[in-house]
Each structure stands twice: as C-alpha cells, then as structure tokens.
Amino acid sequence: MTTPAPSLLRRKRIETSTDSHGLRRVLGPGSLIALGIGATIGAGLFSLTGIAASENAGPAVVLSYIVAAIACGFAGLCYSELASMIPVAGSAYTYAYIGLGEIVAWTIGWDLVLEYAVGAAAVSVSWSRYVTSLLSSWGISLPPRLLASPFETVALPDGSHVAGIMNLPAAFIICAVSILLIRGISESARVNSIIVMVKLAIIVAVIAFGLPYIKTANYVPFIPPNTGEFGHFGLSGIMRAAGTIFFAYVGFDAVSTAAQEARNPARDMPIGILGSLLICTLAYVSFSFVLTGLVNYKDMLGDAAPVATAIDQTPFGWLKLAVKIGIICGFTSVLLVLLMGQSRVFYAMSRDGLLPRMFSQVHPTWRTPWYSNLLFMVVTGSLSAFLPIDQLAHMTSIGTLLAFVIVCAGVMFLRRSAPDVERRFRVPGGVVIPVLGILSCLTVMASLDRLTWVRLVVWLIVGMAIYFGYSKRNSNLARGA
C-alpha cells in the first residue's frame, strides 16, 4: 500500500490491487455475458416499457431505449478499459479508489449499496407478485397477509381489509439466491445461464408471434406532441423515458464486479460488458417496437401488465403463461446478479479497511465472501418482507448514472496518472468517448424528478456520516497497512 496520508483524495496503487485474495477465477466470456443479460433483462423489459410509453414517450419509447443505450455504450467502453487494466472485484468503487481517491471511492461504493441492495429488494417484491399470480392460476392460494408488508392493506376472503404481516415469498427468494451465491460462483453462473436461455427464448417468441399482428396506426404519431409539461411526450418525454428505463440497463455494471473471478479478465471483461449490453439493447428495442405496435400507448396508462394486454391482440393464449414464466425467470436472474454484485462491492470495501474486516473473509471451502452474502440476505430480505419499497427502486437509475459518470472520469484521470499501465482494451478516440459518456449520463440524470434527487442526497449524507465516523481512520491507506 501507499504511505499514510491525511488527504481525502489518497489513492490506491494499481499494483496493490491485482491479487486474487482467495476468490476462484472460473468465469469465461460466455458466463460473463450471461451474467450481464441475467441482471439486465427483467422488470425493465416487461413493465417499464409500458410505463414509459404511456406516461412519457409514446411509441418513441423505442428511441428512449436507444438514447439510454448510447449513454450506457459510452460508459461500457470506459468500464471495459478499466476492467482490462484493474481486473479486481469492486467495479466502479475500485476504479474510483485507484483513479480519483478515497472519498470519491467511498461515495460510489455507498451509492452501489443503494443500487444493488434496494434494487434487489424491489425486484424480489415484484417476483413475489408474479409467483403468487402464477400459483393462483394453478389453483394454489397463499394467505394474503403473508404476501404484503405491514404498511400495506390486503383484502381477506370475507371482504374485510387488514394490514399485511410480511411478504414471505419475497424474503424466501432473497434467502434462496443468497444461499446459492454462498455455495459457489460457478454453480451460480450455471444456474444463471440456464435462466437466461429460458427468458431469451420467450422474448424471441413474443417478438416473432406478435410481429404479424402489429397495427401500424398505433405508431401515429410516433413522437406525440408535448403537453406543455416537461417530460410528458415530445423530445423531453423521450429523455424522461430514457431516465425512467435506465433501471433496465444496470446489469452490465454488475459484470465488472466479477472481474476477480474471471479466468482472463483483461480479455474477457470487455467481451462480457459490451456483449451483454449489445444483446440487451437489441432485445429492448425489438420488444418495445412490437409492444407499442400491438397496443396503443394511450391504452397502457395504468396497465400493470401491458405485455399481457399486448398478447391479447394475438390468437396465442399460451403466450401469457410463457411470458409469466419468463418474467419470473427474469426477476430471478436479476436478483442473483444484483446480490452477487453487492457482496463483491462490500468485499472490496472491507478488504480496503473502509468496512469491518469480517466482510472480506472468504469461505474456506466455497471461496466466496460469505459474510457479505449473509449480511445482505438479512438486510435485503428484511426490506423485502417488511417495507413497501417499490418507489425506492427508482433510486437505482440515478445511482447507476452517478457510477457511470465517475467511471468515465476515472478513465481520463488514469490516462494521465498511470499512462504506462498495460491496457488490453483501450477506448478509441482519446477523451471524446469518456466526455460524451459524462455528458450523456448527466443529461439523463437531469431529466429525473426532484424527489429522486432528494433521496440520493439524503442517502449520500448518511454515507458521509459513516465514512467520517469509521472508515476514514480505519482504511488501509490511513493506517499505512
């Protein structure tokens, strides 16, 4: 490590960050692409498309997905360069610690806690709802009070309304996925790859069977005129929709958290990051084009299941069951990769002394950061069971965008401070793409609503209290370890 320094901008050196620290390098490029797809294709595809089309962009939601993909593409190229030169766990947190300093690293690490943990909790609640619906279609009913948090009201069979007790299925899936992750990364990757194949097959089926039943009149006007309010159709609506659906693109960021478990990270990480981003973008654009062609965007307003409504426009009733299974598979793989990414970020922060040492301990047999997995099994499972956290899921978009901005800035800084370090992948065009990445992400962030910004600021203030109360004096760099 470096010598002790009082500065909040003290930085780790790259050569101190490349050891395996006990994690197994078992992931190839195919597994990394599958991890990215697994974390990306989920709620964004099946629910956010309808919301963004009906409230913000109309049929032009297709353009919103492209705008979001462009911003992600710039960031993905920057992620790839940093992952090829710093092949360790921690994602944007580690890159910021090496490139921009400790206080920036803590900020982005704390931001990633919000992105992954709260996002996983929100996804588990949605998973619970779809599983309950699927079981009901098979004649299996669960007690209503075990399907909602204490802050939600449920209807009993006798018609009375009472408060829920806990969302038991949501807590169950968090525990099940966490135990799988503790058991081993290779086992988790195999399960994820199977799930990804299932949901991609269902997405292709919906597009193929729905395409002949598109009504071209639903595309007119393709960009509905603005209502006079920012974000409601027109160009500003396309941008607001891009900010809303950015949650759908968080997955490729999670790929970089597995760098320390990739067999050849310098080569495979860029393939995993950019490959998963490309496949997911094609799926999103194609799916949203078919969806808005089958159903007029005005008819999606308030529709909790726009995909089911779209399938009603075709004669293939069996697609409803297939889509429901695909959604459950999508949510499951999202949970797996988000919880994996969260534990790896916590592992990296603990290894650097910013968090208690126990969270960087690796299981002697399974070689996974099991204390981190156990912590977030309890924390995220509790959030899923006892809080109505759907609104907090919007925080994942702004948190991800902030991480992308810092990664793009890190590329430019490291080219000046560490020009001689080997880069197996280098972003072309000098500083053009990193600058475009920063500007595009900031533009999308600016389109988000005020409440989302307030939540982010409050979360970061809490993080600063923890940093100055514990992390600043216990970090390895502060102690000269």
Side-chain angles (χ1 to χ4, degrees):
M1 292 290 179
T2 61
T3 56
S7 173
L8 297 177
L9 297 178
R10 54 197 173 207
R11 295 182 290 121
K12 289 175 61 176
R13 294 164 56 186
I14 293 178
E15 58 267 27
T16 67
S17 307
T18 55
D19 296 331
S20 64
H21 293 276
L23 299 180
R24 286 177 175 166
R25 293 195 179 276
V26 296
L27 302 179
S31 295
L32 292 170
I33 290 175
L35 284 176
I37 297 173
T40 303
I41 296 181
L45 187 65
F46 295 111
S47 59
L48 292 184
T49 301
I51 294 172
S54 62
E55 297 181 1
N56 304 116
V61 69
V62 174
L63 301 181
S64 300
Y65 273 115
I66 294 174
V67 169
I70 290 172
C72 285
F74 293 143
L77 288 168
C78 294
Y79 264 99
S80 297
E81 177 170 326
L82 294 181
S84 71
M85 65 184 292
I86 311 170
V88 295
S91 182
Y93 157 77
T94 300
Y95 307 150
Y97 211 158
I98 292 171
L100 300 172
E102 186 173 278
I103 188 66
V104 180
W106 170 265
T107 300
I108 199 60
W110 186 246
D111 174 65
L112 290 174
V113 170
L114 181 69
E115 175 186 335
Y116 290 132
V118 177
V123 169
S124 71
V125 173
S126 297
W127 183 94
S128 172
R129 291 172 180 168
Y130 275 99
V131 168
T132 302
S133 175
L134 181 63
L135 292 176
S136 296
S137 67
W138 292 340
I140 302 173
S141 298
L142 299 177
R145 298 191 70 189
L146 295 181
L147 301 175
S149 75
F151 299 94
E152 296 173 294
T153 302
V154 296
L156 298 180
D158 61 6
S160 61
H161 291 78
V162 296
I165 297 175
M166 65 179 297
N167 194 327
L168 186 60
F172 165 79
I173 189 60
I174 291 292
C175 292
V177 170
S178 297
I179 291 171
L180 176 63
L181 288 168
I182 292 172
R183 181 63 182 81
I185 184 64
S186 58
E187 291 83 355
S188 302
R190 280 195 293 270
V191 171
N192 179 71
S193 296
I194 294 171
I195 294 174
V196 165
M197 291 174 63
V198 171
K199 66 181 178 182
L200 284 180
I202 291 174
I203 289 168
V204 170
V206 172
I207 294 172
F209 287 104
L211 202 59
Y213 298 92
I214 286 177
K215 302 178 182 68
T216 56
N218 288 332
Y219 294 127
V220 181
F222 188 72
I223 303 178
N226 185 263
T227 62
E229 182 180 354
F230 183 90
H232 289 271
F233 306 108
L235 180 60
S236 67
I238 293 173
M239 296 305 298
R240 173 64 62 83
T244 299
I245 63 178
F246 213 89
F247 174 73
Y249 279 105
V250 302
F252 83 85
D253 168 78
V255 176
S256 63
T257 67
Q260 214 157 308
E261 290 152 291
R263 286 197 295 265
N264 186 353
R267 181 200 68 188
D268 296 344
M269 292 307 296
I271 296 175
I273 292 170
L274 298 177
S276 61
L277 177 60
L278 176 61
I279 293 172
C280 292
T281 299
L282 291 175
Y284 282 145
V285 171
S286 302
F287 196 89
S288 60
F289 178 79
V290 171
L291 183 66
T292 53
L294 290 172
V295 183
N296 190 281
Y297 71 94
K298 296 177 183 178
D299 296 332
M300 297 184 195
L301 187 62
D303 188 350
V307 179
T309 303
I311 293 172
D312 286 338
Q313 310 304 312
T314 76
F316 308 110
W318 59 269
L319 268 181
K320 281 188 177 181
L321 177 61
V323 167
K324 193 170 291 187
I325 294 174
I327 291 172
I328 293 171
C329 289
F331 286 155
T332 303
S333 61
V334 169
L335 287 172
L336 189 148
V337 184
L338 288 180
L339 289 173
M340 183 204 73
Q342 176 60 87
S343 65
R344 271 48 176 185
V345 171
F346 234 60
Y347 164 85
M349 295 175 75
S350 170
R351 193 185 62 205
D352 293 332
L354 297 178
L355 293 170
R357 298 291 175 183
M358 64 180 294
F359 297 116
S360 56
Q361 291 184 22
V362 175
H363 193 280
T365 302
W366 298 321
R367 315 307 300 170
T368 55
W370 65 306
Y371 280 120
S372 290
N373 285 125
L374 285 175
L375 171 68
F376 284 100
M377 181 178 75
V378 174
V379 172
T380 310
S382 298
L383 291 173
S384 303
F386 299 113
L387 291 179
I389 56 171
D390 299 63
Q391 287 297 323
L392 292 180
H394 291 91
M395 285 294 294
T396 57
S397 289
I398 196 168
T400 303
L401 286 160
L402 178 59
F404 289 178
V405 169
I406 291 177
V407 166
C408 292
V411 166
M412 294 189 292
F413 191 89
L414 282 172
R415 284 184 179 178
R416 289 180 172 271
S417 62
D420 299 326
V421 176
E422 181 184 9
R423 292 164 170 82
R424 293 283 295 275
F425 177 89
R426 191 179 183 92
V427 178
V431 300
V432 174
I433 287 179
V435 169
L436 289 175
I438 292 172
L439 293 177
S440 59
C441 289
L442 288 176
T443 300
V444 177
M445 288 177 73
S447 71
L448 295 171
D449 60 274
R450 182 180 300 176
L451 183 58
T452 299
W453 279 93
V454 171
R455 288 169 175 163
L456 176 65
V457 171
V458 171
W459 179 257
L460 294 180
I461 290 173
V462 173
M464 287 297 103
I466 296 174
Y467 174 76
F468 286 104
Y470 174 86
S471 305
K472 183 175 181 292
R473 67 175 183 274
N474 286 286
S475 74
N476 292 346
L477 297 189
R479 296 182 297 106

XYZ file of all heavy atoms in Angstrom, residues 296-352:
434
model
N -51.984 0.457 -28.451
C -51.787 1.901 -28.487
C -51.249 2.372 -27.138
O -51.700 1.920 -26.083
C -53.109 2.607 -28.802
C -52.904 4.078 -29.077
O -52.754 4.889 -28.167
N -52.890 4.434 -30.353
N -50.281 3.282 -27.188
C -49.625 3.705 -25.954
C -50.604 4.296 -24.946
O -50.424 4.176 -23.730
C -48.512 4.712 -26.261
C -48.989 6.082 -26.700
C -49.145 7.114 -25.766
C -49.275 6.363 -28.027
C -49.576 8.371 -26.151
C -49.701 7.608 -28.418
C -49.852 8.614 -27.491
O -50.275 9.856 -27.873
N -51.711 4.913 -25.418
C -52.698 5.502 -24.506
C -53.415 4.419 -23.698
O -53.827 4.655 -22.558
C -53.721 6.324 -25.292
C -53.125 7.528 -26.005
C -54.192 8.251 -26.823
C -53.590 9.421 -27.592
N -54.609 10.108 -28.427
N -53.539 3.242 -24.278
C -54.240 2.150 -23.595
C -53.371 1.470 -22.548
O -53.845 0.610 -21.805
C -54.710 1.106 -24.619
C -55.737 1.672 -25.585
O -56.461 2.611 -25.188
O -55.800 1.193 -26.725
N -52.087 1.823 -22.497
C -51.190 1.236 -21.498
C -51.194 2.019 -20.193
O -50.602 1.579 -19.204
C -49.750 1.170 -22.026
C -49.553 0.283 -23.233
S -47.803 0.207 -23.692
C -47.922 -0.474 -25.338
N -51.827 3.175 -20.148
C -51.821 4.009 -18.954
C -52.500 3.269 -17.802
O -53.652 2.862 -17.900
C -52.544 5.330 -19.216
C -52.475 6.376 -18.091
C -51.036 6.797 -17.850
C -53.330 7.586 -18.430
N -51.772 3.092 -16.728
C -52.306 2.405 -15.561
C -52.390 0.903 -15.710
O -52.907 0.218 -14.819
N -51.877 0.370 -16.808
C -51.929 -1.077 -17.041
C -50.734 -1.729 -16.344
O -49.582 -1.489 -16.698
C -51.884 -1.367 -18.545
C -52.133 -2.829 -18.865
O -52.158 -3.649 -17.923
O -52.299 -3.150 -20.053
N -51.015 -2.569 -15.347
C -49.938 -3.213 -14.591
C -49.280 -4.332 -15.373
O -48.188 -4.777 -15.007
C -50.487 -3.760 -13.267
N -49.938 -4.810 -16.430
C -49.384 -5.920 -17.206
C -49.545 -5.631 -18.700
O -50.338 -6.275 -19.392
C -50.067 -7.225 -16.831
N -48.818 -4.655 -19.236
C -49.007 -4.288 -20.644
C -48.649 -5.405 -21.608
O -49.209 -5.476 -22.698
C -48.077 -3.078 -20.819
C -47.041 -3.240 -19.746
C -47.756 -3.850 -18.596
N -47.732 -6.282 -21.215
C -47.359 -7.371 -22.106
C -48.529 -8.346 -22.272
O -48.803 -8.828 -23.376
C -46.117 -8.101 -21.577
C -45.733 -9.248 -22.500
C -44.938 -7.135 -21.452
N -49.227 -8.630 -21.176
C -50.399 -9.497 -21.261
C -51.468 -8.869 -22.144
O -52.120 -9.554 -22.943
C -50.958 -9.768 -19.864
N -51.642 -7.551 -22.030
C -52.607 -6.839 -22.882
C -52.207 -6.955 -24.348
O -53.060 -7.136 -25.226
C -52.683 -5.358 -22.474
O -53.024 -5.278 -21.089
C -53.721 -4.625 -23.299
N -50.912 -6.857 -24.608
C -50.425 -6.968 -25.987
C -50.669 -8.364 -26.544
O -51.071 -8.525 -27.709
C -48.939 -6.628 -26.042
N -50.474 -9.385 -25.727
C -50.673 -10.757 -26.192
C -52.133 -11.014 -26.517
O -52.472 -11.833 -27.380
C -50.144 -11.749 -25.134
C -48.614 -11.615 -25.028
C -50.507 -13.181 -25.486
C -48.015 -12.396 -23.896
N -53.033 -10.290 -25.858
C -54.456 -10.423 -26.150
C -54.783 -10.036 -27.591
O -55.843 -10.393 -28.110
C -55.289 -9.564 -25.193
C -55.358 -10.168 -23.793
O -55.137 -11.400 -23.677
O -55.619 -9.418 -22.842
N -53.896 -9.285 -28.228
C -54.108 -8.886 -29.614
C -53.726 -9.988 -30.595
O -53.890 -9.825 -31.806
C -53.290 -7.617 -29.929
C -53.459 -6.494 -28.941
C -54.908 -6.082 -28.765
O -55.621 -5.873 -29.740
N -55.361 -5.988 -27.511
N -53.199 -11.087 -30.092
C -52.838 -12.236 -30.921
C -53.716 -13.429 -30.530
O -54.310 -13.441 -29.453
C -51.358 -12.614 -30.714
O -51.205 -13.290 -29.455
C -50.467 -11.386 -30.738
N -53.786 -14.460 -31.364
C -54.595 -15.639 -31.016
C -53.858 -16.657 -30.163
O -54.363 -17.754 -29.946
C -54.925 -16.224 -32.401
C -53.764 -15.859 -33.250
C -53.312 -14.513 -32.762
N -52.676 -16.290 -29.644
C -51.837 -17.264 -28.933
C -51.965 -17.079 -27.425
O -51.148 -16.411 -26.776
C -50.378 -17.111 -29.356
C -50.177 -17.135 -30.845
C -49.803 -15.981 -31.522
C -50.397 -18.298 -31.572
C -49.638 -15.995 -32.899
C -50.232 -18.310 -32.953
C -49.858 -17.161 -33.617
N -53.008 -17.666 -26.842
C -53.233 -17.531 -25.409
C -52.138 -18.158 -24.570
O -51.859 -17.702 -23.464
N -51.482 -19.196 -25.099
C -50.420 -19.854 -24.331
C -49.235 -18.927 -24.068
O -48.443 -19.170 -23.153
C -49.950 -21.105 -25.073
C -49.418 -20.822 -26.463
C -50.114 -20.820 -27.629
C -48.071 -20.480 -26.804
N -49.303 -20.500 -28.685
C -48.037 -20.288 -28.212
C -46.897 -20.316 -26.082
C -46.884 -19.952 -28.895
C -45.734 -19.975 -26.762
C -45.736 -19.793 -28.149
N -49.136 -17.844 -24.874
C -48.024 -16.916 -24.669
C -48.108 -16.234 -23.304
O -47.087 -15.843 -22.740
C -48.007 -15.856 -25.771
C -47.163 -16.153 -27.016
C -47.238 -15.005 -27.983
C -45.737 -16.472 -26.646
N -49.328 -16.076 -22.771
C -49.462 -15.431 -21.465
C -48.724 -16.217 -20.390
O -47.988 -15.650 -19.573
C -50.937 -15.291 -21.088
C -51.659 -14.147 -21.761
C -53.043 -13.970 -21.167
C -53.743 -12.770 -21.782
N -55.085 -12.556 -21.212
N -48.944 -17.530 -20.385
C -48.256 -18.374 -19.408
C -46.755 -18.336 -19.637
O -45.968 -18.242 -18.689
C -48.769 -19.813 -19.508
C -48.088 -20.829 -18.577
C -48.295 -20.440 -17.117
C -48.614 -22.235 -18.842
N -46.335 -18.374 -20.910
C -44.908 -18.345 -21.225
C -44.261 -17.050 -20.757
O -43.165 -17.051 -20.193
C -44.693 -18.529 -22.725
N -44.967 -15.931 -20.985
C -44.422 -14.639 -20.567
C -44.327 -14.557 -19.048
O -43.353 -14.045 -18.495
C -45.279 -13.490 -21.124
C -44.936 -12.175 -20.451
C -45.080 -13.367 -22.624
N -45.346 -15.083 -18.359
C -45.317 -15.047 -16.902
C -44.125 -15.837 -16.368
O -43.420 -15.392 -15.446
C -46.627 -15.600 -16.337
C -46.841 -15.321 -14.862
C -48.250 -15.686 -14.419
C -49.273 -14.750 -15.014
N -50.632 -14.982 -14.483
N -43.872 -16.991 -16.962
C -42.701 -17.787 -16.572
C -41.417 -17.040 -16.920
O -40.458 -17.021 -16.146
C -42.736 -19.164 -17.262
C -43.921 -19.980 -16.737
C -41.425 -19.913 -17.039
C -44.135 -21.291 -17.452
N -41.414 -16.385 -18.087
C -40.233 -15.613 -18.482
C -39.948 -14.470 -17.534
O -38.795 -14.181 -17.217
N -41.013 -13.791 -17.069
C -40.833 -12.693 -16.124
C -40.246 -13.199 -14.806
O -39.327 -12.599 -14.245
C -42.178 -11.983 -15.883
C -42.608 -11.234 -17.149
C -42.090 -11.021 -14.709
C -44.003 -10.660 -17.078
N -40.771 -14.330 -14.320
C -40.251 -14.895 -13.069
C -38.785 -15.294 -13.234
O -37.958 -15.032 -12.355
C -41.107 -16.105 -12.645
C -42.515 -15.643 -12.255
C -40.457 -16.859 -11.486
C -43.495 -16.765 -12.021
N -38.464 -15.909 -14.378
C -37.058 -16.241 -14.645
C -36.207 -14.986 -14.719
O -35.083 -14.945 -14.199
C -36.955 -17.019 -15.960
S -37.590 -18.699 -15.893
N -36.745 -13.948 -15.371
C -36.001 -12.697 -15.484
C -35.712 -12.085 -14.135
O -34.575 -11.680 -13.848
N -36.720 -12.024 -13.275
C -36.513 -11.470 -11.937
C -35.512 -12.298 -11.133
O -34.702 -11.757 -10.383
C -37.849 -11.412 -11.192
C -38.758 -10.318 -11.659
C -40.132 -10.423 -11.498
C -38.258 -9.185 -12.267
C -40.988 -9.406 -11.926
C -39.098 -8.169 -12.707
C -40.462 -8.281 -12.526
N -35.568 -13.626 -11.270
C -34.667 -14.486 -10.502
C -33.213 -14.237 -10.873
O -32.341 -14.114 -10.008
C -35.021 -15.967 -10.727
O -36.386 -16.202 -10.375
C -34.131 -16.871 -9.880
N -32.934 -14.150 -12.176
C -31.554 -13.916 -12.591
C -31.089 -12.510 -12.221
O -29.915 -12.297 -11.887
C -31.405 -14.144 -14.101
O -32.223 -13.266 -14.833
N -32.005 -11.527 -12.262
C -31.651 -10.171 -11.819
C -31.244 -10.196 -10.347
O -30.227 -9.609 -9.949
C -32.819 -9.201 -12.046
C -32.558 -7.872 -11.354
C -33.040 -8.970 -13.521
N -32.032 -10.884 -9.530
C -31.705 -10.988 -8.108
C -30.345 -11.633 -7.903
O -29.545 -11.182 -7.079
C -32.786 -11.806 -7.382
C -34.131 -11.114 -7.167
C -35.145 -12.119 -6.625
C -33.981 -9.943 -6.209
N -30.077 -12.698 -8.642
C -28.816 -13.414 -8.468
C -27.618 -12.500 -8.733
O -26.678 -12.447 -7.941
C -28.788 -14.621 -9.404
C -27.640 -15.616 -9.211
C -28.100 -17.028 -9.561
C -26.442 -15.262 -10.090
N -27.671 -11.755 -9.833
C -26.516 -10.929 -10.195
C -26.428 -9.680 -9.322
O -25.335 -9.242 -8.949
C -26.550 -10.573 -11.689
C -25.291 -9.808 -12.077
C -26.661 -11.826 -12.540
N -27.559 -9.079 -8.951
C -27.512 -7.907 -8.075
C -26.940 -8.268 -6.703
O -26.101 -7.540 -6.154
C -28.906 -7.310 -7.914
C -29.497 -6.568 -9.117
C -30.891 -6.040 -8.785
C -28.593 -5.420 -9.554
N -27.385 -9.385 -6.138
C -26.871 -9.782 -4.825
C -25.406 -10.199 -4.913
O -24.634 -9.964 -3.979
C -27.721 -10.920 -4.257
C -29.131 -10.516 -3.817
C -29.953 -11.749 -3.438
C -29.089 -9.541 -2.643
N -25.010 -10.800 -6.020
C -23.602 -11.123 -6.208
C -22.766 -9.844 -6.295
O -21.729 -9.711 -5.642
C -23.407 -11.943 -7.478
C -21.968 -12.385 -7.703
S -21.587 -12.729 -9.427
C -21.549 -11.069 -10.112
N -23.237 -8.886 -7.094
C -22.503 -7.634 -7.222
C -22.392 -6.895 -5.910
O -21.334 -6.352 -5.572
N -23.479 -6.878 -5.129
C -23.458 -6.197 -3.845
C -22.425 -6.794 -2.911
O -21.645 -6.092 -2.253
C -24.842 -6.275 -3.199
C -24.912 -5.670 -1.818
C -24.554 -4.197 -1.825
O -25.403 -3.367 -2.045
N -23.297 -3.866 -1.611
N -22.388 -8.124 -2.817
C -21.444 -8.766 -1.908
C -20.005 -8.526 -2.340
O -19.117 -8.385 -1.498
C -21.728 -10.271 -1.832
O -21.492 -10.911 -3.073
N -19.762 -8.441 -3.656
C -18.383 -8.203 -4.137
C -17.944 -6.767 -3.870
O -16.774 -6.518 -3.575
C -18.292 -8.514 -5.626
C -17.938 -9.964 -5.970
C -18.765 -10.962 -5.225
N -18.484 -12.346 -5.616
C -19.153 -13.382 -5.155
N -20.138 -13.201 -4.276
N -18.850 -14.604 -5.531
N -18.859 -5.812 -3.980
C -18.504 -4.428 -3.639
C -18.202 -4.321 -2.151
O -17.208 -3.710 -1.739
C -19.645 -3.462 -4.043
C -19.376 -2.069 -3.499
C -19.800 -3.419 -5.552
N -19.029 -4.923 -1.308
C -18.792 -4.906 0.128
C -17.481 -5.601 0.466
O -16.735 -5.165 1.344
C -19.961 -5.593 0.848
C -20.581 -4.747 1.925
C -21.146 -3.526 1.607
C -20.614 -5.153 3.248
C -21.726 -2.725 2.580
C -21.176 -4.368 4.230
C -21.736 -3.159 3.902
N -17.204 -6.708 -0.228
C -15.946 -7.440 -0.045
C -14.754 -6.531 -0.331
O -13.776 -6.483 0.446
C -15.940 -8.651 -0.976
C -14.597 -9.298 -1.211
C -14.098 -10.250 -0.333
C -13.834 -8.966 -2.329
C -12.871 -10.849 -0.556
C -12.607 -9.560 -2.562
C -12.121 -10.507 -1.685
O -10.907 -11.088 -1.910
N -14.810 -5.797 -1.444
C -13.708 -4.916 -1.813
C -13.545 -3.774 -0.810
O -12.422 -3.424 -0.422
C -13.941 -4.359 -3.220
N -14.647 -3.182 -0.347
C -14.570 -2.084 0.615
C -14.025 -2.577 1.957
O -13.240 -1.881 2.618
C -15.951 -1.453 0.786
C -16.482 -0.785 -0.478
S -18.175 -0.162 -0.313
C -17.887 1.296 0.690
N -14.409 -3.772 2.363
C -13.890 -4.340 3.607
C -12.406 -4.653 3.490
O -11.625 -4.407 4.419
C -14.673 -5.606 3.950
O -14.066 -6.314 5.002
N -11.990 -5.185 2.365
C -10.586 -5.504 2.147
C -9.719 -4.252 2.226
O -8.553 -4.309 2.636
C -10.434 -6.168 0.770
C -9.092 -6.828 0.519
C -9.039 -7.318 -0.907
N -9.158 -6.203 -1.848
C -9.616 -6.324 -3.079
N -10.049 -7.481 -3.524
N -9.681 -5.274 -3.880
N -10.280 -3.116 1.850
C -9.543 -1.852 1.911
C -9.631 -1.174 3.275
O -9.100 -0.081 3.448
C -10.064 -0.889 0.841
C -9.758 -1.377 -0.571
O -8.755 -2.104 -0.737
O -10.515 -1.049 -1.505
